[in-house]
Structures are given as structure tokens and as C-alpha cells.
Amino acid sequence: MASIVLGVGASHSTLMNTHWDKVVHTERAEAFRAGLAGARARIAEARPDVVVVVGSNHFRGFWLDLIPSFTLGVGEVIAAGDGGTPKGPLRTDPGFARALAAGLVEAGTEVAISARLTIDHGQTHAVQWLLDGIDAPVVPLVVNVFAAPLPTMRRCVELGANLADAIARMPGDGRVVVVSSGGLSHQLPWPSDWTDPEGEDEEFLVEAWLNGRGRWDRYDRRRREIIVAAKPTIFTAFDEGFLRDLERGGLRTYADLGSDEIQDRAGNGGQELRTWMVMASALGFAPGRTLVYAPMPEWLTGMAAAVIDPAATPEPGRHREGRP
């Protein structure tokens, strides 16, 4: 049977590639890049036959006219190229993806499917930094983290468990790596309620989210101006607690968090923690290892990278490598 041989969680930021010259906390930024390199090395060592990338979509492939809670790319996958990330068609494995979709339905999660899926930096950041030079196809699994109502954290835990079950039922001895992209804490200048935007910027964003299909680039310049002008809001204590819980295999308790509580404790960008929960659940909430944590106000985000190796034996007294 196929098996999940490694889980990886990594933050992304649309500003990481494009605003390096604005970085003040250079040591933190370099440490984060080094953490990504360490995660990439772990993926290479795992020798995956396929990589499932669990991430969000920042209104490049999904719009307010249709946003499923969970969507699996089962055919062509096109990278939008936003924020300096890869652009164009990606290598995929449609046969595996379709079998995975069927297995998820059998296991109890009815995912939407897309035979022509556009993904953005919410997943291509991981493709760029974690899969560079690794010859493995990607299967994107998109989680709605922006347009309420959002899938509950508990439902994301169920998705992860069913993902593991579906992969285990596949024939052959395929090796699968599950990568989650998103978080940690940050606050984006999005409207808190897309049905009731406040001010010109929020009205513009809602218009872009509703009417951007096929022409998102016409909205991109102003949208990036709004993001760049945002005040950094990072909840360092929350991030460090989340990573400690990941290390001890304790993330299951976060399944009880509602969207409002996540917003209060980790900002609206903290809703992306759903992707980490899917990954951790797929790995059975085994203890993990944090490779780096770097709060980056220049990128608006608490940036982290971590791995969960189901074959690893927990080390007594293990601790994170530290925050620069």
C-alpha cells in the first residue's frame, strides 16, 4: 500500500520574494530561508513519488462566485506566478489525484475536484522553496480560509485523517509527502465580513474577489498596494505555543478552536492554520520538529517551518533551534 513518509509545514508570504530589499530583520529572514532549505532536504531524503500540497488560494483560482471548502486538483494545475513564485503548468499525477479524490469520498470527505486548477503563492511558495529540484509531481489540495463560512478546524482534522486513510488504501508502495503552506499568525487588510465591506479599500477587495475570474491581474496592482501598506500584526506568543504543541504531538486540541477565536489569537491570517491541521492529522499528530520560527513584520507574518516524520523517535528534551 502507499504511505505518507513525511509531513512538512511552512509559512508563506506574498512579500517574501518581492520585498527582500525592505527587510530590516535580516538575520531572521536568512534563518527562515535556511529553515526552508532544511525542510527541502528532508523532503529530498524522503524520496517522494508524489507531494500533496495543502494550501490556501488568495482569489487567483477561486472567487466569490464559487468557493468550495476543500478542492483537489485532479488534472491540469497552473501556477499564477504572483509574488515572484513559479508561473505556468506544473507537473502533476492525474491518476493518483483522481484515485485520491475517490478515496477521500469513500472515507467520508466529499472534496470538490478541478480538472484545470489555478493555484497561487498559497501553494506555489512551497513548490518554489521546498520542491526545487525534487522530481515529484504535485497534487494541490486547496482549503478555503478567506471567505466565510470557513470549514471548521475539526472538519480539517477529519480531512487529514481521511487523507491518510485514502492513501493507505491505494495499491502499490508509493511514497507520499504532505506539505502544508500557510500561517502562522498575521493580520491581512481583508474585510472581516465580505458581505459588508467598510471603506473604499474593502469595497475594492470585495469587487476583486467577486469579479476577478479570468482577469485578476487588473486588480492586482492596487491590491498589492493595500497589502504593502498594512500594519504588521504578529502574535508571537501564539505562534511559539502552536509550535511547542506541534513538537509534542498536541495539535489535536486546536480542533476545538472556532474562527472567531483564531481571529482573536492569531489574526485573520491565522485561519491558514487549517492547512497545518490537515497535514498534522494526516501524520496522526505524531510529534514533530520545528526547524525555524522568525517573526517577520516586513512580511506581515510569523514565519515558520517544521517537519513531522512518522518514523522518527522523539528525542528527550528536544527543543527548537531558536528564534533569531
Side-chain angles (χ1 to χ4, degrees):
M1 64 180 182
S3 61
I4 299 175
V5 295
L6 188 71
V8 176
S11 303
H12 63 245
S13 170
T14 187
L15 303 178
M16 178 179 166
N17 294 337
T18 60
H19 284 63
W20 185 263
D21 60 332
K22 303 294 194 300
V23 169
V24 175
H25 299 90
T26 306
E27 291 184 2
R28 297 184 192 179
E30 291 176 345
F32 179 66
R33 283 190 171 182
L36 291 180
R40 184 211 165 276
R42 294 294 303 274
I43 295 172
E45 291 170 2
R47 297 177 289 107
D49 296 301
V50 65
V51 179
V52 177
V53 182
V54 187
S56 55
N57 193 287
H58 305 72
F59 297 97
R60 296 300 197 289
F62 294 90
W63 313 92
L64 288 177
D65 59 357
L66 180 62
I67 301 184
S69 292
F70 309 122
T71 304
L72 196 68
V74 299
E76 184 179 11
V77 176
I78 303 168
D82 61 310
T85 58
K87 183 176 183 178
L90 300 178
R91 182 186 170 199
T92 61
D93 187 339
F96 176 92
R98 290 194 295 269
L100 181 59
L104 282 169
V105 171
E106 287 295 321
T109 299
E110 293 77 17
V111 292
I113 61 169
S114 174
R116 184 177 294 122
L117 179 64
T118 297
I119 61 175
D120 62 21
H121 75 273
Q123 291 174 299
T124 53
H125 193 281
V127 171
Q128 176 185 21
W129 289 94
L130 300 179
L131 303 182
D132 182 39
I134 295 176
D135 187 22
V138 298
V139 174
L141 177 56
V142 182
V143 179
N144 171 29
V145 302
F146 290 121
L150 307 181
T152 65
M153 292 282 270
R154 188 164 298 282
R155 186 64 171 155
C156 292
V157 169
E158 293 174 359
L159 170 60
N162 289 342
L163 182 68
D165 181 77
I167 289 172
R169 292 174 181 272
M170 287 188 178
D173 56 357
R175 299 171 62 85
V176 181
V177 168
V178 179
V179 172
S180 62
S181 180
L184 298 179
S185 71
H186 58 293
Q187 181 70 26
L188 297 171
W190 303 143
S192 57
D193 180 357
W194 63 266
T195 67
D196 186 25
E198 299 180 3
E200 292 183 0
D201 285 349
E202 290 193 3
E203 290 174 357
F204 169 82
L205 289 171
V206 171
E207 178 189 347
W209 295 354
L210 183 60
N211 300 316
R213 186 178 297 278
R215 50 180 184 169
W216 65 265
D217 53 337
R218 69 177 291 185
Y219 297 101
D220 200 46
R221 180 176 178 178
R222 182 176 173 190
R223 189 168 83 160
R224 286 190 66 80
E225 289 174 350
I226 294 172
I227 293 172
V228 170
K231 178 183 177 181
T233 305
I234 299 173
F235 298 80
T236 304
F238 175 88
D239 292 344
E240 292 181 332
F242 182 86
L243 294 170
R244 284 194 299 270
D245 288 332
L246 177 143
E247 292 198 326
R248 67 178 184 85
L251 289 186
R252 188 183 299 273
T253 60
Y254 289 75
D256 295 327
L257 293 182
S259 294
D260 289 344
E261 187 172 1
I262 294 171
Q263 164 84 32
D264 292 342
R265 295 177 61 184
N268 58 11
Q271 306 294 355
E272 289 180 333
L273 292 173
R274 286 168 170 79
T275 68
W276 288 64
M277 292 294 286
V278 172
M279 180 275 293
S281 178
L283 273 292
F285 291 107
R289 180 176 181 83
T290 301
L291 302 180
V292 65
Y293 174 62
M296 288 296 300
E298 300 92 328
W299 301 338
L300 305 179
T301 305
M303 309 291 286
V307 296
I308 299 178
D309 183 347
T313 301
E315 303 170 15
R318 183 183 60 196
H319 60 84
R320 286 181 290 120
E321 295 175 2
R323 188 183 94 197

